[in-house]
Amino acid sequence: MPRWTQKVQVAPGAGVEAHADGYSWRKYGQKDILGATYPRGYYRCTHRRSQGCLATKQVQRSDEDPTILEVAYKGMHTCSLGAKKDPKTAMDQEPNIAEKPQQILPQSHQSQPELLDFQTTDLDTKNETLQPLNNNPSSSSSRIIPENDVFSAEMMDTNIYYPSFMSSEPNYLTFLPSFMNGDYGSSSNIVHTSQSNAQTVGIDYPFGQLDLDSNFPFDNPRYFP
DNA sequence: GAGATTTGACCGTC
DNA sequence: GACGGTCAAATCTC
């Protein structure tokens, strides 16, 4: 099943639960994965029973860097939390897309365009690793929103939003749940987000923000050639 | 007592 | 048969 993955940096020693992304998750399993040092945790939306929300995620600590959590989202939120249309309340959620991310960027970040410089080092993998081009310590915490890249003008025009990685280019998205929540001091920081299967984008869009029934451009050849 | 977590068992796929 | 994903009973926490 195609899915979306994120790499989230947490404080050393913090548990995988440190990856609080704004949704309520219930752990339903844990497995030791072959070749992996750390077990993989399986989570589903708390509202699965009450609202039939089918969103799930898998959280696994990186072998290379235990402070990195690799979070794979599967399915999308159909619960009231994930499907909220109110942009004001939606901003309190994560990883839902902010409507106008540049408006929530603190001045300190808007004035640091250099932090938006990323390069993809392994585009051939489904979970490519991104490296900041600079060694600015502040960039390691990835409090970055590439405002010119996260949303396209096309989506803005239609009042629906998609990150640039939904385009045909193997781009990348960096956004922060805690950042969007205004919690700039959170220990949980997304350092990378990638998409494992561009062909099925939308079906497994994890953020629960798009109204697939009425707004998502299924007939747009850009996404479904 | 309700809801969340743990963990062994079960199932599907390769 | 190995492995990954899910189930469900037992246990824990508030």
Side-chain angles (χ1 to χ4, degrees), chain A residues 43-91:
Chain A
Y43 299 81
R44 63 166 63 107
C45 181
T46 300
H47 307 295
R48 182 185 179 95
R49 285 178 55 180
S50 60
Q51 301 182 33
C53 183
L54 298 178
T56 63
K57 73 173 181 180
Q58 300 173 4
V59 181
Q60 186 168 11
R61 196 176 292 274
S62 172
D63 290 343
E64 294 77 15
D65 186 352
T67 66
I68 298 294
L69 298 181
E70 297 178 358
V71 185
Y73 291 91
K74 298 168 65 177
M76 63 177 294
H77 284 277
T78 58
C79 58
S80 59
L81 179 61
K84 276 182 181 177
K85 308 271 190 207
D86 182 353
K88 185 175 181 179
T89 55
M91 288 291 293

Side-chain angles (χ1 to χ4, degrees), chain A residues 12-187:
Chain A
V16 297
E17 67 277 7
H19 173 240
D21 56 17
Y23 289 101
S24 296
W25 299 98
R26 177 173 177 171
K27 189 174 186 177
Y28 65 87
Q30 178 172 302
K31 288 284 287 188
D32 289 325
I33 302 303
L34 188 70
T37 304
Y38 303 95
R40 177 179 297 167
Y42 298 89
Y43 299 81
R44 63 166 63 107
C45 181
T46 300
H47 307 295
R48 182 185 179 95
R49 285 178 55 180
S50 60
Q51 301 182 33
C53 183
L54 298 178
T56 63
K57 73 173 181 180
Q58 300 173 4
V59 181
Q60 186 168 11
R61 196 176 292 274
S62 172
D63 290 343
E64 294 77 15
D65 186 352
T67 66
I68 298 294
L69 298 181
E70 297 178 358
V71 185
Y73 291 91
K74 298 168 65 177
M76 63 177 294
H77 284 277
T78 58
C79 58
S80 59
L81 179 61
K84 276 182 181 177
K85 308 271 190 207
D86 182 353
K88 185 175 181 179
T89 55
M91 288 291 293
D92 293 332
Q93 307 165 34
E94 189 290 325
N96 283 345
I97 306 287
E99 282 201 334
K100 296 180 180 180
Q102 65 276 18
Q103 293 185 351
I104 63 171
L105 284 171
Q107 291 298 323
S108 60
H109 293 108
Q110 293 188 60
S111 60
Q112 295 179 351
E114 70 278 7
L115 296 182
L116 304 182
D117 290 335
F118 275 74
Q119 63 181 3
T120 302
T121 58
D122 186 9
L123 290 176
D124 292 333
T125 64
K126 290 184 176 181
N127 193 16
E128 67 272 59
T129 300
L130 295 181
Q131 300 292 338
L133 290 177
N134 59 55
N135 294 323
N136 187 333
S138 65
S139 67
S140 65
S141 62
S142 302
R143 295 189 177 89
I144 301 161
I145 295 181
E147 56 190 271
N148 293 329
D149 192 46
V150 174
F151 308 103
S152 75
E154 180 179 346
M155 188 64 94
M156 291 298 186
D157 287 343
T158 56
N159 287 328
I160 50 181
Y161 314 102
Y162 61 93
S164 61
F165 57 59
M166 293 171 71
S167 71
S168 58
E169 297 197 5
N171 224 314
Y172 38 83
L173 167 69
T174 303
F175 61 87
L176 292 174
S178 56
F179 174 77
M180 289 181 174
N181 288 337
D183 178 13
Y184 307 124
S186 170
S187 62

